[in-house]
Amino acid sequence: MQASDQPAAVSKKKPWAGIVVSALPALFLLLDGVMKLAKPKVVVDTTVQLGYPESVIFDIGIVLIVCTVIYVIPRTAVLGAILLTGYLGGAVATHVRAGDGPFPILFPVIIGALLWGGLFLRDERISKHLQSSIQTDSVSKKALWAGIIIGALPTLMLLFSGVLKLAKPADVVTEFARLGYPENIILGIGILEIACTVVYIIPRVSVLGAILLTGYLGGAVATHVRIGDPIFKVLGPVIFGALLWGGLYLRDQRLRALLPLRS
């Protein structure tokens, strides 16, 4: 292994701070997952009040625990953070749909910030790679163009979807009503969708854009799960997310240093 692959030298306080910052949300999410497996009355009542059928609680608990364990393992921590970002995006969407106050909506965002912040603190390579310019020097032309094409497909779809939300035609309003969202948030969601996609398009911050879009698409997954939509509608946002990250992985050398495994 080359010296550049070794963890960057940092002060002892910084990695320990990262471990502590990472541990707080990880422990909370593990406890939350275990509670969903045990299904005490308070968990069942809360989940049902949020619009989910009781039958999905156990499965959600399994998904949450698996994603958190992947995050806790150092070699797969970045992958775990990506997966948990999607999960937490689903939590945000759930509270937005329920019309909850600012704190329930922002709490999953805070948990996500702690997850990524802990990674930044305990491994300088992450901040170095995410803040540097896109790196394509060692990427073949075939991989570069494949990455551009694969990333362009979901990008164009998301931009089109965002523009439709700004225009608010009747079928979009009807679909939002079916999904359980009030009409007055359609414009805001459209702006959010376009903004996150634009960040993804900008090469220097494309990884940040992929992280933001992962949270957004996680919200779409949770929305379709809540109303019991067919599996292809649930998997649609998952496929979009895979294409976004797959396109980046092919065309940007930075991700190859972080995903899927880090030593």
Side-chain angles (χ1 to χ4, degrees), residues 122-233:
R122 71 177 192 252
D123 191 340
E124 279 193 345
R125 290 178 302 172
I126 296 174
S127 58
K128 177 182 177 181
H129 284 300
L130 298 188
Q131 293 174 15
S132 64
S133 299
I134 188 170
Q135 299 173 9
T136 60
D137 295 342
S138 63
V139 178
S140 69
K141 287 185 178 180
K142 287 184 179 179
L144 177 61
W145 278 105
I148 292 173
I149 293 171
I150 290 173
L153 294 174
T155 298
L156 291 173
M157 291 294 291
L158 289 167
L159 285 175
F160 179 69
S161 174
V163 170
L164 275 181
K165 291 178 177 65
L166 300 188
K168 290 204 301 183
D171 56 342
V172 169
V173 176
T174 301
E175 177 64 7
F176 265 72
R178 184 185 77 85
L179 295 173
Y181 290 95
E183 182 179 349
N184 60 4
I185 71 167
I186 298 177
L187 180 64
I189 292 178
I191 292 173
L192 176 65
E193 186 172 6
I194 292 173
C196 293
T197 307
V198 169
V199 174
Y200 175 80
I201 292 171
I202 300 171
R204 188 176 181 87
V205 290
S206 55
V207 176
L208 174 60
I211 293 171
L212 295 173
L213 284 172
T214 299
Y216 178 84
L217 293 169
V221 171
T223 297
H224 291 298
V225 168
R226 186 192 65 80
I227 63 174
D229 271 344
I231 189 65
F232 74 89
K233 289 194 174 184

Side-chain angles (χ1 to χ4, degrees), residues 36 54 59 61 66 70 78 87 97 107 114 126 144 156 161-162 191-192 199 207 210 219 232 239 251:
K36 286 178 171 58
E54 182 180 348
D59 294 336
V66 169
I70 293 173
V78 175
Y87 178 88
R97 187 212 61 81
F107 185 71
L114 290 173
I126 296 174
L144 177 61
L156 291 173
S161 174
I191 292 173
L192 176 65
V199 174
V207 176
F232 74 89
I239 294 171
R251 72 177 188 262

Side-chain angles (χ1 to χ4, degrees), residues 23-108:
L24 292 174
L27 289 173
F28 171 81
L29 292 171
L30 282 174
L31 177 62
D32 188 20
V34 171
M35 291 287 286
K36 286 178 171 58
L37 298 189
K39 294 206 299 184
K41 186 175 185 301
V42 63
V43 170
V44 174
D45 290 346
T46 301
T47 304
V48 171
Q49 287 173 7
L50 290 172
Y52 291 89
E54 182 180 348
S55 60
V56 306
I57 298 176
F58 186 86
D59 294 336
I60 293 175
I62 292 291
V63 169
L64 179 55
I65 291 173
V66 169
C67 292
T68 307
V69 169
I70 293 173
Y71 174 78
V72 170
I73 299 171
R75 290 176 65 87
T76 55
V78 175
L79 178 59
I82 293 171
L83 296 173
L84 286 173
T85 299
Y87 178 88
L88 293 168
V92 171
T94 296
H95 290 294
V96 168
R97 187 212 61 81
D100 289 336
F103 180 76
I105 293 172
L106 290 178
F107 185 71

Side-chain angles (χ1 to χ4, degrees), residues 103-122:
F103 180 76
I105 293 172
L106 290 178
F107 185 71
V109 178
I110 295 170
I111 294 294
L114 290 173
L115 290 170
W116 284 102
L119 285 181
F120 268 64
L121 286 173
R122 71 177 192 252

